[in-house]
Amino acid sequence: MTAREPITLPLELDRPPKQAEPALRGDSITADRYTSNEYLQRELEQVWRRVWNIGGVSYQMTEPGDYLTTEIGHESVILVRQADGSAKAFLNVCPHRGTRITDAAEGAVERFHCPYHGWQFDWEGTVVAVPDEEDFRESPCGRARLHEVLCCERFGLIWYNLDVKAVPLEEFLGEQITRELDSHRMEAMVRVLDITADAESNWKIITDNFNEAYHVKVLHPELIPYIAADYQDCQFDLFPRGHNRGWFPAFMPSQQYGSELIGEPLKTMAQAWGVDSDDYQGRETWSDLRISIQKCKRELGAERGFLHYAYRSNYQLTDYVIYNIFPNNVITVGPDGVQLLRPRPHPTQADRCYFDHWWLVNRVDGQTMTPSPAGGPDLPVTDAEHEYVTYGEQTLGTTADQDLSIAKAQQAGLASSGFQGFWMPNQERRVQAFHEHLNDLMASP
């Protein structure tokens, strides 16, 4: 792993820089992309084999021979730490007769062993030993290899791409998104929540949901008292290659909040930083409250153990920014942590997907527990064990539960002959842009 100079955005920034708005074509969005198994199979080839995916967290593989496995569609991928500290990625298929090399989620090996005939592979994917080597016309040792795919590490995450001719990750993301994600220094965070749920909708329904905030005031009323969710107060930006960004100022209520007085939970959140929210009565003062909290965090953060505030821009001290990395990685960054909300396609069923929920937090001096975005008791600030659940059996967090419940309802509606196509306001243009880029990939050779 190559060390990089830490990125710090200008501290005085009060919001992300606005991007130029590209023209959209207005492609129709048809139901078959959500309901057709045939479309899903074409999508697995045309889209998922050509994009960068997140395979895991870098600190899960610290020593040579440490490995992780991850799945996308039909493919299982092995990520393994090399002797020189780099990471490599291989398709989890033995070149002998196609058996998966391992079903383990993670581990550490001197050599990989195929469980069928005992072929052995080194960390670089090369066959180094086989039973009855003398019986081969030409020995596979040193010649046969696991199928290698692209692999790189950035933001404390391990990324892979099945297309060996793909552009580098930084070019895929673009300079602006790369710089902004770098500035959060996720490599210093710890993942305290790691859940995968078997969900009852197409993966794109969940992606569409995270590509717009039009639903927040109806579906997530618990956010209204402390996050500005109205499109007039927020900022939405489109980037090349299907990515987008949504900025949501926080520590101030949304416009439809039903009182002139600040209530909970914002009252307590402000109090924690020595700010009396009663001093900010009336909607015209709410943005001033947000600025006051930023100033207090800047002044008091270090002495309270929040050392990461020293390299946060002003808006990063209070606000939430959602980076939708095409096609499915939804990275939400806030003052004290990063959420990954990620639907992955089911390999055979268009109306199902796998939904991952990660929560990575900054380490704070003296803080051994941290609030959980999944509800319930606080979480220990230690690496979380992976949990696999069926949606409905266990909460994924209030907001995520609400999103998945509406996804199931929308899946049913999209299968109906009554579906007439989408009718979207301008604030949902990120949904339109996503589908137009999807159409481009589905149509290209």
Side-chain angles (χ1 to χ4, degrees):
M1 294 179 286
T2 303
R4 293 182 175 88
E5 189 70 24
I7 296 292
T8 300
L9 302 180
L11 297 184
E12 67 276 8
L13 284 179
D14 66 351
R15 66 195 300 165
K18 179 63 186 167
Q19 302 297 299
E21 286 284 323
L24 298 176
R25 300 187 299 258
D27 296 5
S28 62
I29 301 172
T30 56
D32 66 317
R33 67 187 58 208
Y34 301 97
T35 61
S36 166
N37 290 334
E38 187 274 334
Y39 187 97
L40 171 63
Q41 294 309 309
R42 290 194 294 115
E43 191 177 68
L44 291 174
E45 289 297 318
Q46 290 289 99
V47 177
W48 291 99
R49 302 190 70 85
R50 303 162 74 177
V51 295
W52 283 96
N53 299 280
I54 297 173
V57 179
S58 289
Y59 68 66
Q60 292 178 276
M61 297 176 4
T62 57
E63 300 296 328
D66 290 352
Y67 72 93
L68 307 172
T69 59
T70 184
E71 294 188 353
I72 196 72
H74 300 286
E75 299 290 6
S76 173
V77 180
I78 301 173
L79 310 167
V80 58
R81 182 69 66 203
Q82 301 296 299
D84 65 359
S86 65
K88 287 183 178 291
F90 307 96
L91 296 186
N92 189 5
V93 180
C94 181
H96 173 213
R97 282 172 52 195
T99 305
R100 281 197 172 179
I101 301 298
T102 179
D103 287 324
E106 57 185 303
V109 294
E110 288 296 325
R111 291 180 176 180
F112 291 99
H113 292 73
C114 176
Y116 193 3
H117 296 94
W119 282 34
Q120 298 180 32
F121 306 82
D122 63 16
W123 302 330
E124 296 184 342
T126 303
V127 175
V128 291
V130 297
D132 303 331
E133 181 181 358
E134 74 285 351
D135 192 40
F136 289 83
R137 177 180 299 176
E138 185 176 31
S139 172
C141 294
R143 299 176 64 85
R145 293 178 48 80
L146 299 178
H147 182 103
E148 186 172 358
V149 298
L150 296 184
C151 184
C152 77
E153 293 181 81
R154 198 68 187 256
F155 324 117
L157 304 171
I158 308 170
W159 301 70
Y160 67 94
N161 193 318
L162 303 180
D163 180 5
V164 295
K165 297 181 180 179
V167 300
L169 176 64
E170 291 81 359
E171 185 177 343
F172 174 75
L173 296 175
E175 181 181 358
Q176 187 65 37
I177 289 178
T178 299
R179 280 184 55 80
E180 291 181 19
L181 289 180
D182 267 338
S183 75
H184 286 272
R185 306 185 191 180
M186 283 185 264
E187 62 274 8
M189 298 183 184
V190 57
R191 183 175 60 182
V192 298
L193 184 72
D194 179 11
I195 299 178
T196 297
D198 190 350
E200 299 178 68
S201 77
N202 185 270
W203 69 273
K204 291 185 295 299
I205 288 180
I206 299 175
T207 298
D208 288 348
N209 177 80
F210 293 130
N211 277 326
E212 51 93 356
Y214 189 41
H215 68 279
V216 171
K217 61 187 73 177
V218 176
L219 196 59
H220 307 311
E222 73 282 357
L223 302 180
I224 298 305
Y226 69 98
I227 295 178
D230 300 278
Y231 75 90
Q232 299 95 330
D233 294 326
C234 303
Q235 177 178 305
F236 308 121
D237 291 297
L238 304 178
F239 291 87
R241 293 192 168 90
H243 314 312
N244 69 69
R245 179 184 65 199
W247 166 69
F248 303 89
F251 284 82
M252 57 180 285
S254 288
Q255 291 184 21
Q256 68 268 27
Y257 180 64
S259 172
E260 292 291 312
L261 295 176
I262 299 295
E264 296 296 349
L266 182 50
K267 187 175 182 67
T268 297
M269 294 165 66
Q271 221 165 37
W273 289 99
V275 178
D276 186 352
S277 62
D278 290 344
D279 294 338
Y280 300 84
Q281 298 187 26
R283 298 172 188 272
E284 69 279 358
T285 69
W286 290 349
S287 60
D288 295 332
L289 171 62
R290 168 178 166 267
I291 293 171
S292 294
I293 292 172
Q294 289 174 357
K295 290 179 178 177
C296 289
K297 285 189 170 187
R298 183 77 70 202
E299 294 169 2
L300 303 175
E303 67 185 58
R304 295 188 179 190
F306 293 80
L307 303 181
H308 56 284
Y309 287 175
Y311 55 81
R312 291 280 197 267
S313 293
N314 287 338
Y315 79 89
Q316 293 176 327
L317 293 172
T318 53
D319 304 343
Y320 295 90
V321 182
I322 299 178
Y323 297 91
N324 293 276
I325 307 303
F326 187 90
N328 68 326
N329 290 300
V330 181
I331 300 175
T332 301
V333 297
D336 300 305
V338 172
Q339 268 187 310
L340 174 71
L341 300 170
R342 176 179 65 174
R344 288 179 289 125
H346 191 280
T348 58
Q349 296 178 254
D351 60 354
R352 304 192 71 85
C353 69
Y354 303 112
F355 179 74
D356 299 320
H357 188 181
W358 296 1
W359 175 229
L360 296 92
V361 300
N362 292 94
R363 298 179 188 272
V364 177
D365 290 350
Q367 189 179 88
T368 60
M369 304 294 288
T370 188
S372 170
D378 289 354
L379 299 168
V381 184
T382 57
D383 185 51
E385 291 189 10
H386 181 251
E387 299 178 72
Y388 185 88
V389 302
T390 297
Y391 169 67
E393 292 181 355
Q394 177 180 323
T395 181
L396 298 173
T398 301
T399 305
D401 287 349
Q402 292 162 343
D403 288 328
L404 290 194
S405 69
I406 208 70
K408 181 178 179 181
Q410 189 179 4
Q411 183 71 47
L414 288 166
S416 168
S417 59
F419 175 63
Q420 302 175 53
F422 290 172
W423 195 329
M424 297 185 292
N426 185 58
Q427 63 183 285
E428 289 188 304
R429 61 190 179 278
R430 292 183 294 158
V431 177
Q432 183 69 36
F434 165 84
H435 283 278
E436 292 189 4
H437 189 67
L438 174 69
N439 289 345
D440 291 342
L441 287 183
M442 290 292 285
S444 63

